[in-house]
Every structure is written in C-alpha cells, then in structure tokens.
Amino acid sequence: MFDFLDKYDVLGAFWTTVQLTLLSAAGSLVWGTLLAAMRVGPVPLMRGFGTAYVNIVRNIPLTVIILFASLGLKDTLRITLGSDQVDTSNFRLAVLGLVVYTSAFVCEAIRSGINTVPVGQAEAARAIGLSFTQVLGLVVLPQAFRAAVGPLTNVLIALTKNTTVAAAIGVAEAALLMKEMVENEAQLLLISAVIAFGFCCLTLPTGLVLGWVGKKVAVKR
Amino acid sequence: MSSVLYDAQGPRAKRRNFLYTAGFLVVLAAVLWWVYKGLDDKGQWEWVLWKPFFSGTEAYSAYIWPGLQNTLKAAALAMVIALPLGAALGIARLSDHAWIRVPVATVVEFFRAIPVLVLMIFGLALFAAYTDVSSDDRPLYAVVTGLVLYNASVLAEIVRAGILALPKGQSEAAMAIGLRKNQVMRLILLPQSVTAMLPAIVSQLVVIVKDTALGGAVLTFPELLASANTMSAYYGANTIASFTVVAVIYVVINFSLTSFASWLERRLRQGKKSTGAVLGVDDTANIAGAAGTGIAA
C-alpha cells in the first residue's frame, strides 16, 4: 500500500524541515531577545526601533518575506549568502526570512514573560543600586525566560509549521515533497496521511514536552 | 513594567543615554546607507521602476486592486465559513458526554498540528481528483478549504476559552433558576462569550489575511502577492518596488485590524456591563495546546 513511498525521500524532506526549524529557532531567539531588551530599555530611539520592527514585520505575511528573500535579495541584488549552489543559497535565504519574521513573535513572547515578573522585584533591584543592564540581566530576564517557556513553545510550534512556506522558493522540505507526490501519484489520501503524521510527530511532542518543562521551571508565586 | 526597570534619569544617565542614542543612530544610518548603496549599485532607484506606483492608477487598477479583491474575498469566505464551524466544535468540546468531547478534541488538535499550506495542497488535489470544480476556480476553493479547516479549529479553541473565561456564577445562577443545560449555554453563556471573544476573533482575521498569500505563492491563486509577481514582470523587473508596495498594503490592512482589535478589547474591558471576561488580542497567541495560533504564516 505504501510502496510508492520508496520513490521519494520522505525522511530527507522532514530532516530539512527539522533543520530549517532548529536553525531559525536559534537565530530568532537571539535577535528576538535583543529586540525585547531594546523595547523595554531606557533609550527612546531603540524603543522606537523595536516597536516599529515588531509592528511592521508582524503584519507582513511570511510568504511575502521569504519570496522577497529569493526574488528581491537573490535574483535582483545578487545576495546569495555565501553559496553559489542554488539549493544551499535558497535554504539560507529561507532561514533568514524565518528569523526576520519569527523574532518579532519571540520579542513579544519574552515581553509577556517580563510582564509576569512582579514590579517589586525590579524596584528592589533598583533600590540596591543595580543599573538597567544589571536589573534586566540579573533579576528580570532570568525570571522572565522561565515564565516565557509557554509562549515561546507556541512560537516554536508555529515556526515548525511555518517552515513549509520555504516550499514557495523551492527548498526541498516536507510541503514541497507533498506537492510533488500528489501531482505524480494517485494516492492523495495516503500521501496526505503520511505528511500529516510527520507534522503531528514534530509538533505534538514539542507541545507536550515543553509544556511540561514550562510548568516545571515557572517561578511559583 | 518597562518603566520600573530603570530610575528617573539624572545627569550621568542622560549623558549615557545620549551616547547610546548616538551610537545606535550611527549603526542604523550605516545599515540604511548600506541598503541604499546596494540598491543604487543595482540601479533600483531608477524612477522608471517606481513611477507606475506614483503616477496614474494603472498599476493599481490592473494588478493590485484585482489581487487585493481576491485576497479579501478568500479571507472573508474563510472567516464566514470557519466561524459557525468553530463555534460548533468549541461548544461540542465542552460537552458533558465523552463520546462527543473526545472525538471533537482529537479533530481540533489534529488540524491545529498541521501546517495550513499542507491543508491547502490537500484541498487542491482533492478538488482536482474528486469534484468537477473548474481548474480556474480550484485555487480559490483550495485556499478557502485550507483556511477553514485550520481556522475552524483555532476558533473552536477561542470559543472554548471564551466560555470558560466567564465567571462561574453565571451558569450557577442560571442553573439555580432551573434552566436546562442547553438553555444555560444558549441564553446565558454564548451571548456573553461572543462579546468577550470579539477582539480575539478580529485579530485572527489578520492571520487569515496573511495566510491567503500562501495561495498566491504555491497554488497559483491570483491574490495580492501573486499580483506583485505579474506586475514586476510587466513593468520591467521592478521586483523591489512591487514587493515594497504590496508589503505596505498588507501592513496597512493588518495594522488597522490589529489596532481595531486592541481598541475593542480596551472598550470591552472598561464597559459597565462587562463581566470582566475579555479574551484579548494576546490571548489568541497563548491559548494552551499544540498550536501556536496567531502566529501562522
């Protein structure tokens, strides 16, 4: 029944999906945290930049960003991110697009984490003479991250699903493979079931495991 | 919270902040200059490439407006179909009977775990193989099918959270005066939860509008993003200009929707009749479960 699968590299496609997810997750965690720090900081220009970035990027479809990375950056401006091979270059451009988009949501998740830290904590830290960087780095962010595991999990799961958008610029991941398979084979329901099962295997355990971790590490108040 | 993270600024802090501002300004200016220079080197600032969007309405009437109409049509159709479906699923998930609750919960969690693009590709192949929908209409049908399957399950969670957010006293009082279970739901809980959910539903519209772009990029659905492609081909490869204009349109639409949702949320929270249960814009993204709603592509 499933013998048509022999012709296709299903595991390879899902491995690309996983790679896209992990690389973009790492990138957007760094950039998103920086954005969040800017948005709560004392420098008005940085606050303005952070707010503008989040509000603009959140409202543009990811598809537009990723397609722009391919048609605008690569084809028009010849920015190939250090690779002459089309596949590698597209993969890196997709990661870039995913990082640009996802970090706006990471920023908001961390900010919601910061909001759970009681005001008294920051006041006490200021009272003993800590500077803004120390208040944020030593007192607020460590607690905020523990509270932000839940929202960040949601962002990670959404990111896993959003990697399918890379199919729009021909990155050989699960959705592109599915498109190819339904065009060539007559077994629509079986193919869809396989792909759906693959995504369930990626997203549902992430939600369960990180949900448990989130409960475990959250500061009990 | 942010304002309590640092003290009121004295002379030293003011000086330091001035330095940070200056430093950041230099970095920002350098990046902008680098972008400007990069575009200039490739001749992207030529007036020919930008002219179609500033003089005459041809680019708008021939490309952008038809695309935008399709985007809005697909989004509106998806919302109108998904809303009642989602409400039904959400209420069914609160049922007292396990044989209703469990299958519905499975269906909802299943469709939330799968990317909306996968559902769209499935829809397209489904209509091609099993129906006589013409090949011109197929992309629209597929986009709406994908959006409905995904958003109905997201809206189901919003409805469920909206009903659960109501104060317990509401249903207790209703039971105390002898209403039946379905009367409690129909007369007491649903009407109140509809107002409570409004901001979350409006902000879900943003997700739907953004997701229609997938149809343009992968399924040949002629919506706003797809119109940027044909447009840049017609006007001599002005990809950067076309994409900028299209992105600005998306930002304007979605930003107004988000602002409207936040305004609605503020108003409902302050309202005198409010029970205090309001499902806010941010709650859409944080509804528990394996979905990551509100962040879709």
Side-chain angles (χ1 to χ4, degrees), chain B residues 260-274:
Chain B
F260 174 62
S262 315
W263 173 83
L264 207 61
E265 184 184 345
R266 258 199 321 278
R267 225 188 101 115
L268 290 174
R269 277 194 206 283
Q270 287 164 354
K272 286 209 178 69
K273 285 186 197 160
S274 162

Side-chain angles (χ1 to χ4, degrees), chain A:
Chain A
M1 196 162 84
F2 285 100
D3 41 347
F4 67 92
L5 286 176
D6 296 340
K7 281 185 275 174
Y8 300 96
D9 188 10
V10 181
L11 283 180
F14 271 105
W15 175 232
T16 311
T17 300
V18 172
Q19 281 177 311
L20 279 171
T21 309
L22 293 180
L23 287 173
S24 337
S28 36
L29 193 60
V30 174
W31 181 221
T33 310
L34 277 175
L35 280 173
M38 281 190 208
R39 282 200 76 174
V40 298
V43 184
L45 185 68
M46 289 189 186
R47 268 207 309 270
F49 172 79
T51 313
Y53 181 95
V54 168
N55 277 327
I56 292 174
V57 170
R58 247 194 334 183
N59 287 317
I60 301 177
L62 174 63
T63 324
V64 172
I65 295 176
I66 287 195
L67 219 56
F68 179 81
S70 174
L71 297 175
L73 293 186
K74 193 182 74 174
D75 293 353
T76 312
L77 302 178
R78 305 264 170 256
I79 298 174
T80 50
L81 298 182
S83 174
D84 296 331
Q85 277 186 304
V86 179
D87 287 349
T88 330
S89 174
N90 276 351
F91 179 85
R92 288 179 188 172
L93 287 164
V95 171
L96 178 73
L98 286 165
V99 168
V100 165
Y101 182 79
T102 314
S103 49
F105 295 94
V106 170
C107 169
E108 291 304 271
I110 290 173
R111 233 161 52 93
S112 79
I114 291 179
N115 282 330
T116 64
V117 181
V119 174
Q121 299 267 338
E123 284 171 347
R126 268 166 57 204
I128 57 168
L130 299 189
S131 68
F132 167 72
T133 351
Q134 287 170 320
V135 175
L136 196 66
L138 298 174
V139 178
V140 175
L141 266 190
Q143 300 186 62
F145 263 114
R146 290 168 64 171
V149 172
L152 283 176
T153 308
N154 284 338
V155 175
L156 178 64
I157 291 168
L159 171 64
T160 312
K161 296 189 289 175
N162 282 348
T163 54
T164 50
V165 179
I169 60 171
V171 176
E173 48 68 71
L176 194 73
L177 180 78
M178 175 185 178
K179 196 163 185 280
E180 191 189 320
M181 287 202 296
V182 294
E183 272 160 18
N184 297 335
E185 307 289 330
Q187 278 146 322
L188 172 62
L189 289 176
L190 273 185
I191 295 166
S192 309
V194 169
I195 300 290
F197 176 74
F199 275 103
C200 286
C201 285
L202 289 180
T203 54
L204 293 177
T206 315
L208 288 176
V209 170
L210 287 181
W212 178 78
V213 170
K215 278 209 190 80
K216 202 90 178 149
V217 298
V219 184
K220 304 280 183 300
R221 300 190 204 278

Side-chain angles (χ1 to χ4, degrees), chain B residues 15 97 117 183 195 246:
Chain B
R15 224 171 21 243
H97 309 288
L117 179 60
Q183 284 176 314
T195 29
V246 164

